[in-house]
């Protein structure tokens, strides 16, 4: 049975320097730090209790969590994956608490990327107290490295419930809801998280952050620009351990009944309609 | 009383390259080539920029229209009382400049202001030479020794209103736009920014990368002006002290809003945090 994904829920990153990464997450990125234990820190970006965490460890070991609607859907997902010979691990109570979810399962996707499917990510009653006025409205999508986008697109669209919104050359943009995309599969010779997107309120927030990032000597790797695919205005920059973060605003919503996926050529004007050139290795050949 | 910002006339050394840049860089349409002069369109009017290489020296001219000849005659004396010099423009020159009647004025700082009546429009639509998204001539920024003293003639005689102030700079408007003229303190012989409205932020940002690719000097922006809400990009013009700017439509003027005083700090000139090379507009003095 198809695994029904509601949304992307959280990203879990590892770093050799927890303090620097945490400082970046709050002072630069602008998130609220919600808890710290000996070797991990959690951060909040929106109504959810936690959407990003850093843990001491190898930066290549990245994990993305997706939300499923119910315990029953989680059981179905576990069964489906096991029937396809994926090694599925059920999260312990302690691990669920760390992630602020009721339950989750963990497995590796066809390329070896660490994926978790979770139920009931906890929501807070209060508003997120963002560490700076970055205008963040929430964690919104991830880019995933893919060694074989045909294979991985098949997994996300046929085994799971994602739909293709657009393609840039061999790079598919996949949606889970009406939002144009929640997953971008970026061709590369590795797996794991390629970038982490937070939506902001307005173009002013994108541009203000661009100036602030430059003042802090944070490497800008793409933008400010505008994607012709989703219509979003964006800026991409490098965080700790070369992880790429993105702020964007104005991602188009898709009408499921009438929308048809489009094929864009893999060229600069398909990535940015303003003329910004990406310095990201995977986006600039 | 004031109707429309109509055109600017810019004295330059020679036409050649400057004229080409008006088309290839700014994206205007060549309207007329006269002897040592060239005129360019940015909207439905006959022209909005004239480059004058005929040997005229001194500051550029900013032309603004009034509705009637009677109004034109009426303001002459009061302007002189305000300290302006005012001279009637001959019929022949008016015809050459494509308006019915005009006054050649110098304000307190020596800026050339031309008050004109019945400046010509064209039946044929504006056809830009590059897709810069230009909608039309929208505003100018002029240097002044004393913007507040300068503003008095505009408000008392010409019926303009002060819409906002930033530092010692004064925004003046008279229609539904936030401002049409801004006076900023400047000790240069001439300082003029000629502002064109463009369709959207997309157009501003596309020109930003277009200029970066072609190494066109960007002097300010891309940024957003807090007072007017305009997203702007200011770049080098045909002679020193003259700049062109693209900007998005300003927030509409509201009768109920009071003029605000913005502090003379960089964030009053740009809410995006862009830096500028123009001392007159919040840049570090060069």
């Amino acid at each position: 049975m198809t695994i029904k994904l509601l949304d992307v829920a959280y990203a879990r990153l590892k770093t050799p320097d927890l303090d620097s990464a945490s400082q970046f997450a709050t002072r630069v990125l602008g998130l609220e730090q919600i808890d710290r234990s000996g070797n991990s820190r959690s951060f909040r970006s929106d109504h959810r209790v936690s959407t990003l965490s850093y843990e001491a460890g190898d930066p290549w070991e990245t994990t993305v969590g997706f939300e499923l609607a119910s315990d029953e859907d989680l059981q179905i997902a576990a069964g489906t994956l096991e029937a396809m010979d994926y090694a599925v691990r059920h999260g312990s109570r302690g691990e669920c608490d760390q992630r602020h979810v009721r339950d989750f399962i963990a497995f590796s996707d066809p390329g070896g990327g660490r994926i978790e499917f979770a139920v009931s990510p906890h929501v807070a009653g209060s508003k997120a107290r963002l560490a700076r006025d970055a205008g963040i409205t929430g964690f919104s999508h991830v880019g995933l490295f893919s060694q074989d986008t045909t294979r991985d697109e098949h997994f996300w669209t046929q085994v799971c419930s994602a739909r293709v919104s657009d393609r840039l050359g061999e790079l598919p943009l996949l949606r889970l809801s009406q939002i144009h995309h929640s997953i971008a599969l970026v061709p590369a010779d590795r797996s794991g998280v390629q970038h982490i997107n937070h939506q902001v309120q307005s173009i002013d927030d994108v541009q203000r952050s661009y100036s602030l990032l430059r003042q802090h000597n944070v490497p800008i790797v793409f933008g400010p620009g505008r994607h012709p695919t989703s219509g979003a205005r964006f800026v991409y920059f490098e965080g700790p351990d070369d992880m790429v973060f993105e702020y964007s605003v104005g991602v188009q919503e898709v009408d499921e009944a009438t929308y048809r996926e489009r094929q864009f050529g893999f060229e600069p004007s398909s990535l940015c309609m303003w003329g910004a050139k990406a310095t990201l290795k995977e986006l600039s050949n | 009383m004031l109707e429309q910002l109509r055109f600017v006339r810019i004295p330059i050394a020679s036409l050649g390259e400057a004229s080409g840049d008006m088309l290839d860089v700014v994206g205007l349409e060549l309207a007329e080539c006269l002897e040592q002069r060239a005129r360019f369109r940015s909207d439905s009017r006959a022209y909005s920029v004239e480059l004058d290489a005929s040997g005229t020296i001194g500051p550029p001219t900013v032309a603004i229209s009034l509705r009637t000849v009677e109004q034109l005659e009426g303001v002459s004396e009061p302007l002189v009382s305000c300290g302006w010099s005012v001279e009637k423009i001959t019929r022949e020159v008016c015809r050459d400049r494509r308006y019915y009647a005009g006054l050649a004025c110098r304000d307190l700082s020596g800026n050339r202001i031309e008050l004109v009546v019945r400046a010509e429009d064209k039946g044929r639509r504006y056809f830009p030479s590059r897709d810069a998204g230009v909608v039309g001539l929208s505003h100018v920024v002029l240097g002044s020794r004393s913007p507040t003293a300068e503003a008095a003639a505009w408000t008392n005689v010409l019926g303009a209103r002060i819409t906002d102030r930033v530092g010692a700079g004064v925004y003046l408007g008279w229609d539904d736009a936030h401002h049409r003229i801004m006076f900023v303190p400047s000790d240069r012989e001439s300082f003029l920014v000629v502002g064109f409205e463009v369709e959207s932020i997309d157009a501003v940002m596309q020109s930003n990368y277009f200029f970066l690719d072609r190494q066109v000097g960007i002097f300010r922006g891309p940024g957003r002006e807090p007072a007017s809400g305009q997203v702007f990009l200011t770049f080098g013009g045909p002679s020193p002290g003259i700049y062109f700017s693209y900007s998005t439509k300003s927030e509409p003027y509201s009768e109920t809003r009071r003029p605000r005083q913005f502090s003379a700090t960089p964030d009053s000139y740009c809410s995006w945090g862009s830096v500028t090379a123009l001392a007159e507009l919040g840049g570090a003095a060069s």
Side-chain angles (χ1 to χ4, degrees), chain A residues 204 207-208 211 223-224 226 273-274 276-277, chain B residues 201-202 205-206 209 213 224 271-274:
Chain A
D204 294 350
Q207 298 280 5
R208 273 197 294 261
S211 296
R226 182 168 196 185
M273 57 186 276
W274 287 351
K277 305 234 169 32
Chain B
I201 294 180
D202 289 348
M205 294 305 294
Q206 281 166 345
Y209 288 108
D213 273 352
R224 192 195 286 277
S271 60
W272 285 0
S274 71

Side-chain angles (χ1 to χ4, degrees), chain A residues 235-252:
Chain A
V235 62
Y236 291 80
F237 51 102
E238 252 175 36
D241 314 306
D242 300 332
M243 176 54 68
V244 173
F245 290 87
E246 178 195 14
Y247 293 124
S248 72
V249 63
V251 175
Q252 179 196 340

Side-chain angles (χ1 to χ4, degrees), chain B residues 7 66-70 72-73 88-103 115-120:
Chain B
F7 60 83
L66 275 60
R67 179 76 58 94
T68 65
V69 175
E70 289 72 29
L72 201 63
E73 284 165 356
K88 203 171 167 194
I89 299 170
T90 66
R91 209 48 188 274
E92 218 174 13
V93 173
C94 289
R95 204 170 300 127
D96 170 73
R97 291 179 185 165
R98 296 190 171 277
Y99 52 76
Y100 181 75
L103 294 176
L115 298 175
V116 306
V117 171
R118 288 162 52 186
E120 288 177 16

